[in-house]
Amino acid sequence: MRLTCLACATGYEIPEGGDPRLLACPACAAPQAANFVYERAVRFTSAEHPRYADACRAAREGRFDDALAALAEALRAGMDLDLAVGDPALARLRADPRWPDFVRKAAAS
Ligand SMILES: [Zn+2]
């Protein structure tokens, strides 16, 4: 599966079946165990809404325009707004000044 380094944002493939505790980013050598757990959780919760996974990834990477667009699509596809409001994966996005307005509009539609 593919990981994106939390420290330097380099994307890289990891082999299936390896020990995630031993993972390190190939570009900056930052430990990636927490990143692995995070990515797997995102994949699990967003299996029915691939655009939600896109939103989480974009939010984490600071691409808030992309994150809001992807999240809007996921919500239109039936994604639960409450999950997005409470999801730690979207914490950076919730700090964006557009977030309160976004939630208000999503809740009203
Ligand atoms: Zn890195």
Side-chain angles (χ1 to χ4, degrees):
M1 93 184 207
R2 190 164 180 81
L3 291 187
T4 302
C5 175
L6 293 173
C8 74
T10 298
Y12 54 95
E13 285 291 334
I14 61 167
E16 293 297 329
D19 185 345
R21 291 169 299 179
L22 302 179
L23 287 172
C25 171
C28 75
Q32 298 293 301
N35 193 12
F36 174 80
V37 171
Y38 170 85
E39 292 272 1
R40 201 176 43 183
V42 166
R43 259 158 243 270
F44 180 74
T45 58
S46 61
E48 292 175 53
H49 297 291
R51 289 296 278 156
Y52 187 66
D54 293 343
C56 291
R57 191 158 294 111
R60 200 185 47 183
E61 292 169 2
R63 295 182 288 108
F64 299 136
D65 289 350
D66 292 346
L68 288 172
L71 186 55
E73 277 182 44
L75 291 169
R76 278 197 297 273
M79 159 87 205
D80 184 4
L81 179 62
D82 289 342
L83 178 61
V85 168
D87 191 339
L90 295 173
R92 288 188 68 188
L93 184 61
R94 288 196 293 273
D96 187 280
R98 292 167 292 179
W99 178 256
D101 221 40
F102 179 86
V103 171
R104 227 177 353 259
K105 283 177 186 154
S109 64

